[in-house]
Amino acid sequence: MSDNEDKALPIDRRIEADITRAIYDQRMPPGTRLSEERLGELYEVSRTVVRKALFQLSSRKLVEIRPNRGARVAQPSAAQAREVFAARATLEAAMLEESMTRLTPADIAALRDTLAHDHDTPTDEADAAESIAESGDFHRALARLHGNTVLQEFLDELIGQTSLIIALYRPRDAALCSHDAHDALLDAIEAGDAATARRAMRAHLMACLDALELDPPQPAALADMLGRAR
Amino acid sequence: MSDNEDKALPIDRRIEADITRAIYDQRMPPGTRLSEERLGELYEVSRTVVRKALFQLSSRKLVEIRPNRGARVAQPSAAQAREVFAARATLEAAMLEESMTRLTPADIAALRDTLAHDHDTPTDEADAAESIAESGDFHRALARLHGNTVLQEFLDELIGQTSLIIALYRPRDAALCSHDAHDALLDAIEAGDAATARRAMRAHLMACLDALELDPPQPAALADMLGRAR
DNA sequence: ACAAAGCAAATTGTATCCAATTATTATTGT
DNA sequence: ACAATAATAATTGGATACAATTTGCTTTGT
């Protein structure tokens, strides 16, 4: 009875879900090799079904499959990172603006509850992973209020990719997409009109993007590290 | 030398592309069964690679795979149809509004050329299929001007699903997403500001949606067809 | 003659096997 | 001792074989 959590969903879906969760929770860093045979023996299943799961994951851009070279957890480039955030800004701003007419005070209260619940966690150390996951949840909850499941699912994909981007490009200490930022965003939503909310959302996402360290970490500074070479 | 068009792309990609094109061109109606064995012998390839292609297609929602029941060309429900059009309206309106600052007269001229090229075709009869494909091309071209490839690819998916929706729900004669409508849209873009263009795009897509016959074609009218039954 | 159960054919799901490619290690020559 | 090359091991791509499920048909009983 306490064997697997979801008993109904097929084994390949379970593998997919497990890897997805591991990526979201920052346990599987970008670049991690995903050997078909290894995964197969882990789940006691043939490579056939593992391959199926890996292909599904690659269609969501969470893993990258290079021909004859196997699958790895994807490593989005800086350019891709910028595009994902730009896409999120466009999409989430538009969705929020359209939601504004329908947004009830109860909706906003519910969102605040989610945030308050998160405030308990100290946000101190390496549980930044949890903070990132919760940030995603907030954006997902906001999108759900819009009501369009097609856009919801697409945003889900983008948020998933954002996990990888943050894992790759977040500076050592900086907390990203802080709860405070979400609080401020909610304030703007509550107080302002549609256009204001739209701008606030875009500003928030662009701030998150700016907090990243997308520029290469000194690729040519090698000489310096070797003393007074060259 | 004249064997296959694209020699470089792997066989599973080719199958995928062929089916995609067949759907776009309305040659493969929704609901068409896609037997793994049949496709395999058609392309002289094993079921393994056919399955791969079919799964890719299902992730783009062009085919529907039901466990142990095989794959069919997808049949989006009326509810899904509405959501896809709503998603397109939100997305394309937002993208267009953001493009407006960058849009040069040359861009608009290029778009008009595409439309003029299409005007040649009489739009008379069953080549409505071609008209539909060209309509998609117009929207794709417009999206390309925005510059974000992530949103571009997503819109591509939505346009693909739109092919299925039109195949399912377009009334007998009515031409959908007419060239005239696109001309008018371009006029609005050329003349107006960002907000105007946004509204024009939304109005255009909603007009397309309204032209569809989404309501069930008299599911309870069966009795009438059978004379004075009941 | 009709309904229901059972049987047979076809189709999908999964495992295993072989071929092809890539990565790693060993070897050899300078 | 190092570089380049050759041999070997490991891993993925694809085909075949078998198991499980579904579908259509036949048969049987009332």
Side-chain angles (χ1 to χ4, degrees):
Chain A
M1 234 193 236
S2 60
D3 197 9
N4 290 356
E5 298 178 16
D6 295 77
K7 203 56 168 279
L9 94 178
I11 183 63
D12 59 320
R13 285 287 179 183
R14 182 169 170 73
I15 298 176
E16 197 189 332
D18 283 357
I19 295 180
T20 301
R21 175 54 56 101
I23 291 175
Y24 282 12
D25 294 350
Q26 312 266 330
R27 295 195 309 274
M28 266 195 187
T32 305
R33 278 217 69 226
L34 298 169
S35 159
E36 297 178 359
E37 194 172 7
R38 198 67 48 87
L39 284 169
E41 59 194 34
L42 261 175
Y43 285 90
E44 293 175 343
V45 88
S46 88
R47 279 176 47 213
T48 309
V49 45
V50 174
R51 285 170 71 84
K52 191 170 158 186
L54 290 177
F55 277 116
Q56 308 263 155
L57 286 165
S58 85
S59 81
R60 288 198 285 149
K61 306 229 172 97
L62 288 183
V63 321
E64 199 176 6
I65 296 181
R66 286 159 61 187
N68 284 312
R69 295 193 161 192
R72 316 178 88 87
V73 177
Q75 297 172 290
S77 69
Q80 286 173 298
R82 272 184 266 264
E83 287 213 280
V84 167
F85 268 95
R88 284 189 61 172
T90 299
L91 185 66
E92 296 194 59
M95 288 176 80
L96 176 56
E97 178 170 11
E98 291 179 4
S99 297
M100 285 297 281
T101 59
R102 266 165 280 153
L103 264 191
T104 70
D107 293 329
I108 292 178
L111 288 170
R112 281 213 196 278
D113 275 358
T114 319
L115 289 183
H117 173 271
D118 298 354
H119 267 303
D120 302 341
T121 64
T123 326
D124 286 353
E125 319 172 328
D127 58 356
E130 205 174 330
S131 153
I132 291 169
E134 282 161 357
S135 166
D137 287 340
F138 174 76
H139 284 264
R140 262 185 285 262
L142 205 44
R144 204 170 303 129
L145 295 176
H146 180 275
N148 188 300
T149 61
V150 173
L151 294 178
Q152 239 174 262
E153 281 174 30
F154 177 53
L155 181 60
D156 247 45
E157 274 189 39
L158 294 183
I159 290 175
Q161 292 175 48
T162 304
S163 296
L164 291 175
I165 291 168
I166 290 177
L168 276 172
Y169 300 110
R170 185 191 41 164
R172 280 281 166 276
D173 43 4
L176 203 44
C177 259
S178 66
H179 297 122
D180 299 335
H182 287 162
D183 266 325
L185 179 58
L186 267 185
D187 287 342
I189 292 173
E190 199 166 19
D193 54 47
T196 308
R198 182 196 178 93
R199 274 193 300 271
M201 175 61 90
R202 170 168 285 281
H204 166 53
L205 284 167
M206 284 305 137
C208 290
L209 176 60
D210 284 338
L212 295 176
E213 192 93 53
L214 288 178
D215 317 291
Q218 294 114 304
L222 255 173
D224 294 337
M225 300 196 289
L226 300 175
R228 51 103 180 83
R230 202 6 158 108
Chain B
M1 231 197 238
S2 60
D3 198 7
N4 290 356
E5 299 177 14
D6 295 76
K7 203 56 169 276
L9 95 176
I11 182 64
D12 59 318
R13 285 288 178 182
R14 181 168 171 74
I15 297 176
E16 198 189 332
D18 283 358
I19 295 180
T20 300
R21 173 55 54 103
I23 291 175
Y24 282 12
D25 293 351
Q26 312 267 329
R27 295 194 309 274
M28 265 195 188
T32 305
R33 276 214 76 229
L34 298 169
S35 159
E36 298 178 357
E37 195 171 7
R38 198 66 49 89
L39 284 170
E41 58 195 33
L42 260 175
Y43 285 91
E44 293 177 346
V45 88
S46 88
R47 279 176 48 215
T48 309
V49 44
V50 174
R51 284 172 71 83
K52 193 169 158 186
L54 290 177
F55 278 116
Q56 306 265 153
L57 286 166
S58 86
S59 81
R60 287 198 285 149
K61 306 225 171 97
L62 288 184
V63 321
E64 199 176 4
I65 296 181
R66 286 160 62 187
N68 282 313
R69 296 191 162 192
R72 317 178 86 88
V73 177
Q75 297 172 289
S77 68
Q80 286 173 299
R82 274 184 265 264
E83 287 213 280
V84 166
F85 268 95
R88 284 188 61 172
T90 300
L91 185 66
E92 296 194 61
M95 288 176 79
L96 176 57
E97 177 169 11
E98 291 179 5
S99 297
M100 285 296 282
T101 59
R102 266 167 278 151
L103 263 191
T104 69
D107 292 330
I108 292 178
L111 289 170
R112 281 212 195 279
D113 275 358
T114 318
L115 289 183
H117 173 272
D118 297 354
H119 266 303
D120 301 344
T121 63
T123 325
D124 286 353
E125 321 171 326
D127 58 356
E130 205 174 331
S131 155
I132 291 168
E134 281 161 357
S135 165
D137 287 340
F138 174 76
H139 284 264
R140 264 187 284 263
L142 205 44
R144 204 170 301 128
L145 294 175
H146 180 275
N148 188 300
T149 62
V150 173
L151 295 179
Q152 239 174 263
E153 281 173 29
F154 177 54
L155 180 59
D156 248 45
E157 273 188 41
L158 295 183
I159 291 176
Q161 292 174 49
T162 303
S163 296
L164 290 175
I165 292 167
I166 291 177
L168 276 172
Y169 299 111
R170 185 191 40 165
R172 280 281 166 277
D173 43 4
L176 203 45
C177 259
S178 65
H179 298 122
D180 300 335
H182 288 162
D183 265 326
L185 179 59
L186 267 184
D187 289 342
I189 292 173
E190 198 166 19
D193 53 44
T196 308
R198 181 196 179 93
R199 275 192 300 271
M201 174 62 89
R202 171 169 284 279
H204 164 55
L205 284 168
M206 284 305 137
C208 290
L209 175 61
D210 284 338
L212 295 177
E213 192 94 51
L214 287 178
D215 318 291
Q218 295 114 299
L222 255 173
D224 294 338
M225 299 196 289
L226 300 175
R228 49 104 180 83
R230 226 269 204 177

